[in-house]
Amino acid sequence: MWGMSLAATKLRPPLPPGQLVRRSRLDDILDSGIDGQARLVLVSAPAGSGKSTLLASWLAGRPEAVAWLQAEESDSDPARFWSYLVEAIGQAHPIAASDLKPVVVGSNGDDLVVVTALVNALAEVASPLVIVIDDYHLMDNGSVQRGMERLIDLCPHQVTIVLSTRIDPPFRLGRLRVRDQIAEIRGADLRFDTDEASGLLGSAVQSLDRALLDQLCGRTEGWAAGLVLAGLSLERATDPSEFIEAFRGDDQLVVEYLRDEFFVAVDVDDRQRLLETSILEHLSGALVDSVTGTAGGAKWLSDTASVNQLLIGLDRTRMWFRYHHLLRDLLRLEAQQAFPERIPGLHARAAAWFESHGDHGQAIVHRLAGGDVHEAAQLLLVHGPRLLASGQIETLRGFLEQLGDVAKTMTWCALLYGWCEYIGGSYSRSEYWLGIMLDVAPEGFDQTPAISLRMNISLARGDVATALDTARQVTATDRLMSYSCDLATATGAAYAWAGQADEARRALRFAAEKAAAERFRTAHVLALVYQAIVEFEDDSAASAQTAASTAVDTAQKFGLAAYHGVAPAYAIRARTGGDPARAHADALHALNLARRASTDLALGFVLTACGDTLIGLGDSAGQPLLAEARSVFARCPDPGIAGRYLTRTESRHGIAEVSGSRVAVLVEQLTEREMAVLRYLPANMSQRDIASELYVTLNTVKTHCRAIYRKLGVGDRKAAIQAARDLHLL
């Protein structure tokens, strides 16, 4: 992700313009924020107010280390945002960024998980650090907003967060003001007074007396962009007073003034190059040459930036630049009017350049912008799995949504869509896309990459039987050895929930080793969590306590203590621990995590274990948890050992009559016809459906089911399925 110089420019302040104006009155406000250990310095003002230039020039004179992130619209993806921010901080200060990145990726940018880990890392930083996020208004994701507010609240005193934005973030700013934890600079503060304007106008000021300068500041209301644009024309104006009289410095200036005045001074070739490159967010010489079909792009960029402050340098080598947002928007409007038919071709050139330089993400952006949906879909075959692996689910989903119906014709796109829906908790939609993938898959297509998703969907819906069937297919071959650790983890999970201890231990041990080798930390932790579930189901309190503690300790070491997948380990540690105070705390923490994003199986298990623990501790909150667990398992086709644990717990606490104990032997051997009915019980079929399959009456099936339940010593169908698995009848 960090290989391209383009990405690196996001992590550096913009270069100061040639005509930099020192604004000591604003520097004093910013200094007081840092020196007073404000948690947040907020610079909130409209476009073109000079926010970025102010911050970059001010920080250049400060002794603190600075982490700078230039935000873009695509950074609203939580995993992408936090990955960039962690990298920015890591470049500024020796935090363990390499340890934090897997936390971001593994949690898909979960704000609770990431911020907890980041705050812990920042607490180890001894010297002051300033974290700047420029153009923060582009972050419109609720998870990012929640995480940033929490980061501001929890940051250690030596860290100050600076946000530059066009609109106020949706934080509780009033609370920060009351606590004197915020320093603010607003649009009115950023207005240039007459003296500051004279420095901004440069050589153009020589043609103005004080009265005209005052008049110009009044007409622009001290707006930096308006003054810069006025300065470009003042150098050519024959009558400065007449020009200032006619000049307007409001937003309409951008559309009208730039069109009528700015382009007049630009020769035809330069104007063409400006319009053609307006499709780009960032520009380098080679990229400009490729898009425009010209030569000398690097020199053109350097020369243009030296005379036009609306072209901003992004690195000290003067290799990468960007247009000021106001100029970029105007250029795009002009290009759309001047040559709309050529714009798709320009995007195609840009896409080809980015693809040749290994930046498939930008290549997809330009393919989609140019209307080449099929080529974008082809690129997703390469880039999609990378986005999935890096946790950038929202970015991936955004690309897939733009493909429209084309996504339904591409095997890999359908599979990627399935993963997006699964991670988002939409299991029916995930299954829908998995079905589409199977429909469009070409003959001979290796479906192994879809097996992990299929098992995860089954387990998420509480269908242990289907997941177990798939797991057995996996272990019947050498697929675990050949594919990533998530397949081994899902396989081990299926065996664990099915109570197949030996098979589960083998798969999970391999999953943990493979995840450690691949540095896939969430998969590593989950493998340890499922190992704890296996030991707990085996009725070995000591082994379960050890396994659960190992899972929790590993999660804490990886910065994943707030990851919802760790909830069962906390619940098991609570149930098997000897310290009542810690058991109570573990149970409450497990409940808090499980309610955030857990599947029905995990949630029901945690509710049961925590209810069991709290009742044992004399806490009246325990019994309602068991009732809630019962309602959760009621919607599961086959909750496996989790359902049996609930029944056993209800029996022990006098809530239910059926014991729920594991069946050691059959009360009586099943007949051949009863075995035939038993084999259908794990399927999602009604008794009437089973009767139809076996060509018998409904009453016959009901009679056989009653006999099966009696002989297995259970009270219902779900318990019968698990008991039959324990006895190796299924």
Side-chain angles (χ1 to χ4, degrees):
M1 183 173 179
W2 312 109
M4 286 197 66
S5 59
L6 176 58
T9 62
K10 291 167 58 70
L11 309 181
R12 303 191 192 106
L15 295 178
Q19 296 167 231
L20 178 64
V21 179
R22 288 288 178 186
R23 312 185 73 186
S24 57
R25 61 185 176 86
L26 299 180
D27 289 348
D28 290 344
I29 297 174
L30 296 169
D31 286 338
S32 66
I34 299 291
D35 298 337
Q37 295 186 339
R39 292 186 177 277
L40 173 65
V41 174
L42 181 64
V43 183
S44 181
S49 298
K51 301 183 293 295
S52 303
T53 301
L54 169 69
L55 290 175
S57 60
W58 164 67
L59 288 168
R62 292 287 308 189
E64 294 85 4
V66 176
W68 183 286
L69 173 58
Q70 175 62 58
E72 298 175 324
E73 289 184 12
S74 58
D75 296 332
S76 276
D77 184 306
R80 184 178 175 89
F81 173 82
W82 293 112
S83 292
Y84 268 122
L85 190 61
V86 164
E87 180 68 14
I89 296 171
Q91 290 190 10
H93 238 299
I95 66 165
S98 59
D99 290 332
L100 287 173
K101 289 175 192 173
V103 173
V104 175
V105 171
S107 67
N108 300 317
D110 184 312
D111 56 282
L112 184 60
V113 175
V114 174
V115 172
T116 300
L118 182 54
V119 168
N120 290 338
L122 290 172
E124 302 297 321
V125 175
S127 53
L129 171 66
V130 179
I131 301 173
V132 182
I133 305 177
D134 196 12
D135 284 336
Y136 184 76
H137 57 274
L138 296 174
M139 301 300 95
D140 61 359
N141 182 279
S143 174
V144 171
Q145 301 287 15
R146 288 192 304 271
M148 278 304 302
E149 185 169 22
R150 187 161 179 264
L151 180 61
I152 291 166
D153 284 342
L154 299 179
C155 255
H157 66 85
Q158 72 273 20
V159 177
T160 302
I161 294 174
V162 180
L163 299 183
S164 170
T165 178
R166 294 183 190 177
I167 57 174
D168 283 1
F171 302 160
R172 291 164 290 181
L173 297 177
R175 186 181 60 164
L176 293 173
R177 293 184 186 114
V178 168
R179 297 176 179 177
D180 198 25
Q181 294 176 337
I182 184 173
E184 299 178 78
I185 291 180
R186 298 281 169 180
D189 302 314
L190 283 162
R191 290 174 182 168
F192 280 70
D193 60 28
T194 301
D195 291 333
E196 292 170 332
S198 65
L200 189 65
L201 291 168
S203 60
V205 79
Q206 297 173 7
S207 61
L208 303 178
D209 58 27
R210 181 75 182 191
L212 284 175
L213 191 54
D214 288 340
Q215 186 180 359
L216 180 59
C217 283
R219 285 201 164 274
T220 61
E221 295 185 347
W223 184 41
L227 288 166
V228 169
L229 295 172
L232 293 174
S233 284
L234 270 173
E235 295 178 355
R236 306 189 309 274
T238 56
D239 187 342
S241 61
E242 183 179 338
F243 166 78
I244 291 174
E245 183 66 32
F247 185 81
R248 293 203 324 276
D250 56 18
D251 287 337
Q252 189 61 29
L253 161 85
V254 178
V255 177
E256 294 182 2
Y257 175 76
L258 274 177
R259 179 181 292 149
D260 297 339
E261 297 289 335
F262 175 70
F263 285 137
V264 171
V266 177
D267 67 39
V268 175
D269 290 341
D270 281 352
R271 183 179 189 276
Q272 187 74 1
R273 200 177 303 198
L274 286 165
L275 295 179
E276 290 176 344
T277 55
S278 67
I279 66 164
L280 303 170
E281 292 293 336
H282 303 86
L283 306 94
S284 72
L287 178 54
V288 167
D289 290 343
S290 181
V291 170
T292 63
T294 60
K299 184 176 186 303
W300 176 76
L301 286 170
S302 180
D303 291 347
T304 303
S306 66
V307 298
N308 187 344
Q309 294 189 48
L310 298 180
L311 182 63
I312 301 166
L314 298 177
D315 58 5
R316 299 200 175 278
T317 63
R318 299 187 72 78
M319 181 177 179
W320 286 96
F321 298 81
R322 71 171 174 87
Y323 291 123
H324 191 289
H325 299 316
L326 298 173
L327 177 58
R328 179 203 62 191
D329 294 345
L330 182 277
L331 292 174
R332 288 181 177 178
L333 284 172
E334 286 291 300
Q336 191 63 49
Q337 293 181 12
F339 43 74
E341 75 288 346
R342 292 191 54 223
I343 291 177
L346 295 173
H347 280 296
R349 292 181 184 180
W353 188 89
F354 280 113
E355 186 177 355
S356 69
H357 286 75
D359 192 337
H360 292 86
Q362 280 297 310
I364 292 171
V365 167
H366 283 286
R367 290 295 181 193
L368 290 170
D372 194 347
V373 179
H374 286 87
E375 189 60 35
Q378 290 292 337
L379 289 171
L380 267 179
L381 302 186
V382 176
H383 193 57
R386 294 175 185 168
L387 290 173
L388 192 64
S390 64
Q392 295 185 49
I393 308 305
E394 296 206 15
T395 298
L396 176 56
R397 181 190 293 275
F399 284 150
L400 291 167
E401 287 175 349
Q402 291 181 73
L403 295 182
D405 289 341
V406 171
K408 297 179 180 179
T409 67
M410 309 285 287
T411 306
W412 271 100
C413 288
L415 178 58
L416 292 169
Y417 229 138
W419 273 113
C420 286
E421 297 291 4
Y422 169 77
I423 292 169
S426 300
Y427 306 131
S428 295
R429 292 289 300 167
S430 180
E431 202 162 35
Y432 165 79
W433 281 104
L434 191 57
I436 288 178
M437 187 216 79
L438 296 175
D439 289 342
V440 300
E443 187 176 350
F445 176 74
D446 181 6
Q447 296 185 15
T448 304
I451 291 177
S452 177
L453 177 58
R454 188 178 301 125
M455 276 191 288
N456 278 301
I457 293 172
S458 298
L459 292 175
R461 305 182 97 175
D463 187 357
V464 171
T466 301
L468 179 61
D469 284 345
T470 308
R472 285 169 171 165
Q473 294 171 26
V474 171
T475 51
T477 66
D478 62 352
R479 286 170 171 163
L480 287 185
M481 303 294 294
S482 308
Y483 287 85
S484 66
C485 59
D486 65 318
L487 179 61
T489 304
T491 301
Y495 280 123
W497 288 123
Q500 310 294 293
D502 292 340
E503 295 89 341
R505 288 190 181 100
R506 281 194 293 271
L508 292 171
R509 192 179 304 115
F510 178 74
E513 293 171 355
K514 197 170 181 64
E518 296 174 6
R519 287 178 57 82
F520 195 163
R521 291 185 170 175
T522 46
H524 188 169
V525 168
L526 284 174
L528 298 177
V529 170
Y530 288 125
Q531 286 180 22
I533 291 173
V534 172
E535 300 307 321
F536 184 71
E537 169 60 19
D538 242 13
D539 256 349
S540 173
S543 297
Q545 170 73 196
T546 299
S549 296
T550 299
V552 169
D553 292 345
T554 303
Q556 290 174 341
K557 182 178 72 173
F558 288 167
L560 290 169
Y563 173 48
H564 65 83
V566 191
Y570 279 105
I572 292 170
R573 193 171 77 169
R575 183 65 186 85
T576 57
D579 181 347
R582 190 173 88 159
H584 196 273
D586 276 348
L588 295 182
H589 186 58
L591 287 169
N592 182 50
L593 293 182
R595 292 189 189 283
R596 292 182 62 233
S598 294
T599 62
D600 281 348
L601 271 182
L603 176 59
F605 178 86
V606 171
L607 289 168
T608 303
C610 292
D612 195 2
T613 299
L614 293 179
I615 291 173
L617 294 173
D619 190 329
S620 60
Q623 190 158 321
L625 294 178
L626 299 185
E628 185 181 351
R630 176 58 62 190
S631 67
V632 170
F633 288 143
R635 57 182 182 252
C636 296
D638 173 13
I641 62 168
R644 181 173 60 199
Y645 173 40
L646 173 60
T647 302
R648 188 166 65 236
T649 302
E650 290 173 329
S651 174
R652 185 162 15 91
H653 293 296
I655 300 172
E657 295 182 3
V658 180
S659 70
S661 300
R662 180 182 295 192
V663 179
V665 293
L666 278 168
V667 174
E668 181 183 336
Q669 290 296 319
L670 299 181
T671 67
E672 184 177 340
R673 298 304 292 173
E674 289 165 353
M675 281 296 301
V677 172
L678 176 65
R679 294 188 186 98
Y680 279 102
L681 294 187
N684 188 22
M685 299 172 65
S686 67
Q687 289 183 333
R688 187 177 300 278
D689 293 334
I690 296 173
S692 177
E693 285 290 317
L694 294 175
Y695 300 102
V696 298
T697 67
L698 175 60
N699 283 335
T700 299
V701 171
K702 289 180 177 179
T703 300
H704 287 327
C705 283
R706 286 194 294 270
I708 291 168
Y709 300 165
R710 177 180 59 80
K711 293 177 180 181
L712 290 175
V714 298
D716 58 38
R717 178 171 177 170
K718 293 177 182 179
I721 294 169
Q722 185 55 49
R725 276 198 289 261
D726 292 337
L727 295 168
H728 305 290
L729 298 176
L730 288 176

